Amino acid sequence: NAGVMQNPRHLVRRRGQEARLRCSPMKGHSHVYWYRQLPEEGLKFMVYLQKENIIDESGMPKERFSAEFPKEGPSILRIQQVVRGDSAAYFCASRGATPQETQYFGPGTRLLVL
Amino acid sequence: AQTVTQSQPEMSVQEAETVTLSCTYDTSESDYYLFWYKQPPSRQMILVIRQEAYKQQNATENRFSVNFQKAAKSFSLKISDSQLGDAAMYFCAYRSSNFGNEKLTFGTGTRLTIIP
């Protein structure tokens, strides 16, 4: 049973470009969470999605960031017009059907903005 | 809002010895979950141990155990017989049991070094 998959593992963008980060949850999981880890800091919650729905986006920056989790395919975190401050590790986690279940993390995508 | 505090930025321990990492949290909720995650140099987040607040018994997983003091809002991690592979950043995390409010709130982490 494959774990949470994220790609790309590393992404380099120039300022002003767009970054698309993909997350495939564990098999059978339909709940996805995105977290961001700035250098030398802990993880910070960004957004929680269920298939085709955003449940909690209280941690998402108001501009340039968006997330989706379509009925088919991976969850996508999209960052438009990236700036140097967006450089970070972005982690995706997924859980199973019941809210009590543990969130399991993917390996992360390291975004570097030049 | 819930907060999680890890007051030890760095800790070190001799191989085969025991070390305890501290974590305190602040919440007004009575039911919640607490976690310790390990982040080795690969930066993968690995679940070490989980504790449900309604359970009085402290969770254990092999060499890892917790001391959960609900009234004091304290949740420390004890690593026994430390091994070189335990070297990592350790993050304490809190999660509400309320449906829809399932985000993990992390502390700032403790970097654990194992001395051979």
Side-chain angles (χ1 to χ4, degrees), chain B residues 4-103:
Chain B
V4 177
T5 302
Q6 292 180 251
S7 59
Q8 305 156 315
E10 296 184 354
M11 291 282 285
S12 60
V13 63
Q14 205 81 30
E15 193 177 1
E17 297 295 311
T18 295
V19 64
T20 299
L21 308 184
S22 301
C23 172
T24 59
Y25 58 93
D26 188 26
T27 184
S28 58
E29 298 176 335
S30 59
D31 198 15
Y32 46 86
Y33 304 93
L34 295 165
F35 305 84
W36 279 97
Y37 281 90
K38 169 184 176 181
Q39 189 177 45
S42 68
R43 303 196 70 182
Q44 170 82 51
M45 293 292 288
I46 302 166
L47 177 68
V48 175
I49 201 162
R50 161 188 164 131
Q51 174 81 43
E52 288 85 356
Y54 66 85
K55 290 186 177 178
Q56 292 187 343
Q57 187 171 7
N58 289 325
T60 62
E61 285 289 341
N62 300 315
R63 298 182 295 107
F64 298 88
S65 61
V66 298
N67 183 5
F68 173 46
Q69 302 288 327
K70 190 173 184 179
K73 297 179 182 175
S74 171
F75 182 60
S76 61
L77 174 70
K78 185 171 86 171
I79 306 174
S80 303
D81 185 26
S82 299
Q83 301 176 359
L84 294 177
D86 296 333
M89 283 289 289
Y90 285 82
F91 293 98
C92 178
Y94 171 101
R95 208 210 85 181
S96 171
S97 64
N98 292 333
F99 177 74
N101 184 19
E102 299 162 22
K103 60 179 178 281

Side-chain angles (χ1 to χ4, degrees), chain A residues 9 31 33 35 37-38 40-45 48 55-56 58 89 91 95 99-107 110, chain B residues 33 35 37 39 41-47 50 52 89 91 95 97 99-109 111:
Chain A
R9 295 291 305 276
H31 299 258
Y33 307 79
Y35 295 85
Q37 184 178 32
L38 295 171
E40 304 303 320
E41 294 188 11
L43 280 71
K44 297 279 172 53
F45 169 77
Y48 162 33
I55 307 300
D56 180 359
S58 59
F91 289 91
R95 69 154 173 90
Q100 298 88 347
E101 294 187 39
T102 296
Q103 296 176 25
Y104 291 96
F105 282 81
R110 280 120 188 105
Chain B
Y33 304 93
F35 305 84
Y37 281 90
Q39 189 177 45
S42 68
R43 303 196 70 182
Q44 170 82 51
M45 293 292 288
I46 302 166
L47 177 68
R50 161 188 164 131
E52 288 85 356
M89 283 289 289
F91 293 98
R95 208 210 85 181
S97 64
F99 177 74
N101 184 19
E102 299 162 22
K103 60 179 178 281
L104 290 166
T105 300
F106 287 87
T108 51
R111 184 178 303 279

